[in-house]
Amino acid sequence: MADLAKEAASLHKAASGLRTVRQHTAKPLQEFESASHDLSALGALGSLLGAKGDIEEGMTTLVKLAKQLDEEWETEAKFMGDVSDAFDLLEVLLTAAARAEKG
């Protein structure tokens, strides 16, 4: 039963970590998204090569993918939290069953 407690604690810690990812990525992602609309650093070279549109499209795609990852990690964190809660409940039930057997 101690193993269940360790697993539950580990899952809970991992879920908490996943939930904080968005806090750390929100600002850099917003800055990256803003930069995709201001590619003036490419100057004339970017315009001549027609790269500006391709680069902007690629950056926009990366932003969308990063947002999807945030959503996926949030879903994973919820699932891990649910499994952790289930382990906690199972441990309580097993402990109660063991006490009942001892009488």
Side-chain angles (χ1 to χ4, degrees), residues 2 4 9 12 15-16 30 40 45 61 63 71 73 77 81 91 93 95-96:
L4 283 176
H12 179 73
S16 294
Q30 187 272 331
S40 58
L45 179 61
T61 300
V63 168
E71 292 170 7
W73 288 334
E91 183 173 2
L93 293 173
T95 300

Side-chain angles (χ1 to χ4, degrees), residues 35-103:
S36 72
H37 301 295
D38 180 22
L39 298 174
S40 58
L42 295 174
L45 179 61
S47 297
L48 290 174
L49 297 176
K52 183 179 178 198
D54 292 340
I55 293 170
E56 184 174 334
E57 184 178 329
M59 290 175 77
T60 300
T61 300
L62 286 173
V63 168
K64 287 179 186 176
L65 290 173
K67 288 179 180 178
Q68 288 173 349
L69 276 174
D70 276 344
E71 292 170 7
E72 184 175 327
W73 288 334
E74 184 63 33
T75 301
E76 288 292 323
K78 183 183 179 332
F79 174 74
M80 291 168 73
D82 291 346
V83 170
S84 174
D85 292 345
F87 281 173
D88 287 339
L89 180 59
L90 181 59
E91 183 173 2
V92 168
L93 293 173
L94 289 172
T95 300
R99 285 184 187 158
E101 283 183 11
K102 289 182 181 179

